[in-house]
Amino acid sequence: SSGAVILGNVLEWYDWTIYGYMEDLITEVLMDGQREATWLVFAIPFIARPLGSVLLGWVGDTFGRTVALNAAIWGMAASTVLQGCIPMGFPYAMPIVA
């Protein structure tokens, strides 16, 4: 159990590291050269995480942990699929989906 948590944390920080290294490419390809938008997308999860914790904590207390876990998993799956569907010619879609 704790091994899965450690692996998940390592992979998440690896993802942030790759995003930081690829920032120039992401800015040019997905954000139409707007560096501020690129870093805004980078900051959104750090802002959304506490808000999601409050919301899913309430859902867990009200409807049970199973419902909260399912909502979290389906929310992550849906956002991942939507990010994969972003066309390259629509640079402002990334901040909306992220």
Side-chain angles (χ1 to χ4, degrees), residues 8-66:
N9 199 1
V10 167
L11 290 175
E12 182 178 8
W13 284 104
Y14 174 75
D15 184 34
W16 296 123
T17 304
I18 294 300
Y19 188 92
Y21 282 126
M22 301 291 289
E23 184 262 335
D24 289 334
L25 182 64
I26 292 169
T27 299
E28 293 303 318
V29 174
L30 293 175
M31 299 298 178
D32 202 28
Q34 296 183 358
R35 191 169 303 276
E36 294 82 14
T38 306
W39 288 109
L40 178 64
V41 169
F42 185 74
I44 287 173
F46 291 102
I47 297 166
R49 187 175 290 166
L51 299 175
S53 297
V54 170
L55 177 66
L56 288 175
W58 175 80
V59 169
D61 290 342
T62 305
F63 301 106
R65 292 180 296 182
T66 304

